[in-house]
Amino acid sequence: KKAEMHNHNIICGWGKIGKAIAHHLKTEGQIFAIVEKDESKVERMVERDLSVIAGDARHEDVLERAGIRSAKSLYTTMDDSTNVFVTLTAKLLNAKIRVVSKSDDTSHNMEKLRKAGADEIVACHDVGARMMVNKGLQEKTERPIGRKI
C-alpha cells in the first residue's frame, strides 16, 4: 500500500534503532511511515497497526510508496552501504528532505554518507557509549534513559 501522508517522517529499517526512532517520533507527536523488507517484521508491524511499506528502501518505487516527495525527514538505520544508497536515492527524489543516517564505521563512511546527501550522521554505538560513560561518572539519576515502543 501507499502512505497517504504529508510532512511526515520515513524510517528505513525496523531494527533496534528504527524502533527507538519510532518511539521518540511518536512521543513528539510526529507521524511516520516505516520501510522494511523483512516480511516477518512487516507482518508484525501490520498487526500492531503501524504504517509500514514492505520493500527495499534502495528502490525508488518503494520510497515513492512511502511518500518521499512530501516527507520532511528520512532516517536510515541499516548497514552503511545500504544507508549511502538509500540517502542518495532519497535526495534524488526529494532534494529538500532532511536525511539523518546511522553509521557503524564513521572513520570510513562518514564522507560517503555526506557526499550522498546525509544532513546528519550518527554513530549510535559511540553516542550510546558516551552517554553510558557520562552516566557512570555522574551521581545517581532518577529515571532510565531508554523506553520501549
Side-chain angles (χ1 to χ4, degrees), residues 69-128:
R69 295 189 192 274
S70 62
K72 65 179 173 182
S73 65
L74 178 130
Y75 299 86
T76 66
T77 70
M78 298 146 306
D79 64 87
D80 287 2
S81 60
T82 302
N83 290 344
V84 168
F85 202 89
V86 172
T87 298
L88 180 61
T89 305
K91 286 291 190 168
L92 289 171
L93 296 171
N94 178 352
K96 294 182 180 179
I97 195 164
R98 182 165 179 78
V99 175
V100 180
S101 187
K102 173 187 81 90
S103 178
D104 294 320
D105 185 1
T106 52
S107 64
H108 291 102
N109 296 325
M110 188 173 287
E111 189 61 26
K112 292 173 189 150
L113 280 161
R114 284 208 195 290
K115 286 184 178 180
D119 297 288
E120 297 290 337
I121 302 159
V122 179
C124 295
H125 62 281
D126 186 50
V127 172

Side-chain angles (χ1 to χ4, degrees), residues 5-145:
M5 302 177 185
H6 299 285
N7 203 34
H8 62 292
N9 304 277
I10 300 172
I11 303 168
C12 297
W14 190 246
K16 291 176 185 175
I17 302 297
K19 289 175 184 176
I21 290 170
H23 168 76
H24 291 291
L25 288 172
K26 187 176 180 182
T27 299
E28 295 291 327
Q30 297 290 312
I31 57 171
F32 56 88
I34 304 148
V35 177
E36 176 56 56
K37 67 179 183 177
D38 182 325
E39 282 297 324
S40 63
K41 289 181 180 181
V42 170
E43 288 174 18
R44 289 192 300 271
M45 287 186 279
V46 169
E47 290 170 3
R48 293 179 58 196
D49 204 30
L50 293 169
S51 178
V52 58
I53 305 299
D56 189 330
R58 293 175 293 184
H59 299 172
E60 289 93 342
D61 65 309
V62 173
L63 291 178
E64 291 279 7
R65 285 190 286 129
I68 189 75
R69 295 189 192 274
S70 62
K72 65 179 173 182
S73 65
L74 178 130
Y75 299 86
T76 66
T77 70
M78 298 146 306
D79 64 87
D80 287 2
S81 60
T82 302
N83 290 344
V84 168
F85 202 89
V86 172
T87 298
L88 180 61
T89 305
K91 286 291 190 168
L92 289 171
L93 296 171
N94 178 352
K96 294 182 180 179
I97 195 164
R98 182 165 179 78
V99 175
V100 180
S101 187
K102 173 187 81 90
S103 178
D104 294 320
D105 185 1
T106 52
S107 64
H108 291 102
N109 296 325
M110 188 173 287
E111 189 61 26
K112 292 173 189 150
L113 280 161
R114 284 208 195 290
K115 286 184 178 180
D119 297 288
E120 297 290 337
I121 302 159
V122 179
C124 295
H125 62 281
D126 186 50
V127 172
R130 191 173 326 125
M131 277 186 110
M132 290 178 73
V133 168
N134 288 344
K135 294 296 179 186
L137 297 175
Q138 290 177 1
E139 296 295 317
K140 186 175 176 185
T141 59
E142 293 296 317
R143 62 179 199 134
I145 297 170

